[in-house]
Amino acid sequence: MTDNVQIEKSGGILTLTLARPDKKNALTNEMYGKLADTIEGAENDASVRVIVIKGQGDSFTAGNDLSEFAAVAAGKAEGERHVTRFIHSLGRSTKPLVAAVQGRAVGVGTTMLLHCDLVVLAENALLSTPFVSLALVPEAASSLLMPLRIGHARAFELFALGEPIAAKVALEWGLANRVVPLERLDAETGALAQRLAKQPLGSLVATKRLMRNGEVLVKQMEAEGEVFAVRLQSAEARESFRAFAERRPPDFAKFG
Ligand code: COA
């Protein structure tokens, strides 16, 4: 099993650390598998009262591993794809989810925050969802949750132009609870998680169930997934993955 996701449990707090810092914690199929197994397992584990997600190194995560997207697009990816299980586990999780985010949070790195109940950003956090720039479409129910959270105008711009927003803006738009100095990120997140862990779990779970309908979110993910799978095979998407690998801007002009 991959070491690129570290798991630690202490005092009712389950911490998942994305640990592939040399690749900006880009998420591989194996990493999604371990994350999904752990979040699914936590549902029926009474000793887990809070789940914290964080990243090692200078970034939270650069999102899906683009070489794996390219392999899927080329029909070269083998075995079960775990990303769907991962996003479904986020949608269905009834335990409080807390995220600690520094540096880049790209793609699913940002859309997973829409499933986190408390989001703490370091001052240097930059959130982006460049799905359209990659010739893809939004996922993880973000096509529903993002406009609900920040309004259509901001959500469309975020998706369509793919440019990052700074921590302060994300806070102002309601995408986060706190912005803290980078050196305080772990401590502030840990303190919030501990406060949550002391609250009555039954009431937290019931509150979260009243606030969000996991099955509606999973339905949206399924609808997005169908379009995403088609887009992934498109010539435009193949050009975007090639461009990333070749460290050049993509050229979409040749496609109609
Ligand atoms: N998939 C695979 N590898 C990735 C990656 C990703 N999503 N993001 C970064 N990496 C790798 C780079 O290829 C590079 O590997 P190398 O050192 O072997 O060449 C390493 O991580 C460091 O990335 P680099 O681009 O040099 O860092 P940077 O600080 O200049 O830029 C990012 C950081 C996150 C802005 C940039 O890497 C990026 O745009 N990544 C792609 C993000 C993306 O589009 N994700 C998919 C969203 S759906």
Side-chain angles (χ1 to χ4, degrees), residues 184-213:
R184 298 280 312 147
L185 182 65
D186 265 356
E188 298 278 347
T189 309
L192 278 170
Q194 278 172 20
R195 280 165 63 188
L196 281 176
K198 286 193 186 125
Q199 293 290 69
L201 181 60
S203 179
L204 276 174
V205 165
T207 299
K208 192 167 164 170
R209 276 214 183 96
L210 288 166
M211 289 175 71
R212 63 201 321 272
N213 183 335

Side-chain angles (χ1 to χ4, degrees), residues 2 4-5 18 25-40 61-65 68-69 80-87 89-90 106-109 111-112 139 228:
T2 177
N4 292 150
V5 176
L18 311 177
N25 297 327
L27 292 158
T28 61
N29 193 43
E30 236 191 328
M31 290 166 76
Y32 285 128
K34 192 162 170 184
L35 289 166
D37 289 345
T38 311
I39 296 169
E40 284 166 5
T61 167
N64 202 100
D65 187 293
E68 292 203 358
F69 267 164
E80 188 191 347
R81 311 305 305 157
H82 297 297
V83 60
T84 306
R85 228 161 37 79
F86 167 62
I87 58 175
S89 74
L90 288 178
V106 188
V108 73
T111 59
M112 77 168 89
E139 36 65 307
F228 198 99

Side-chain angles (χ1 to χ4, degrees), residues 133-144:
S133 306
L134 291 165
L136 301 171
V137 289
E139 36 65 307
S142 62
S143 59
L144 175 72

Side-chain angles (χ1 to χ4, degrees), residues 22-24 26 62-67 69 104 106-107 130-131 134 244 247:
D22 55 321
K23 298 287 182 188
K24 309 280 175 195
N64 202 100
D65 187 293
L66 287 173
S67 61
F69 267 164
R104 303 300 297 237
V106 188
F131 299 108
L134 291 165
F244 179 74
R247 291 189 168 266

Side-chain angles (χ1 to χ4, degrees), residues 6 9 21 24 63-64 73 92 96 101 117 120 156 176 182 194 210 246 251:
Q6 294 171 359
K9 194 162 75 175
K24 309 280 175 195
N64 202 100
R92 289 195 169 114
V101 179
D117 304 292
V120 185
F156 184 80
L182 179 60
Q194 278 172 20
L210 288 166
E246 292 167 9
D251 174 12

Side-chain angles (χ1 to χ4, degrees), residues 114 128-132 138 142-163 165 173 175:
L114 297 167
S128 60
T129 50
F131 299 108
V132 171
S142 62
S143 59
L144 175 72
L145 292 174
M146 192 69 91
L148 273 180
R149 184 78 67 89
I150 67 175
H152 179 90
R154 289 162 171 168
F156 184 80
E157 184 169 341
L158 216 54
F159 288 140
L161 299 184
E163 284 159 9
I165 54 165
W173 289 4
L175 288 165

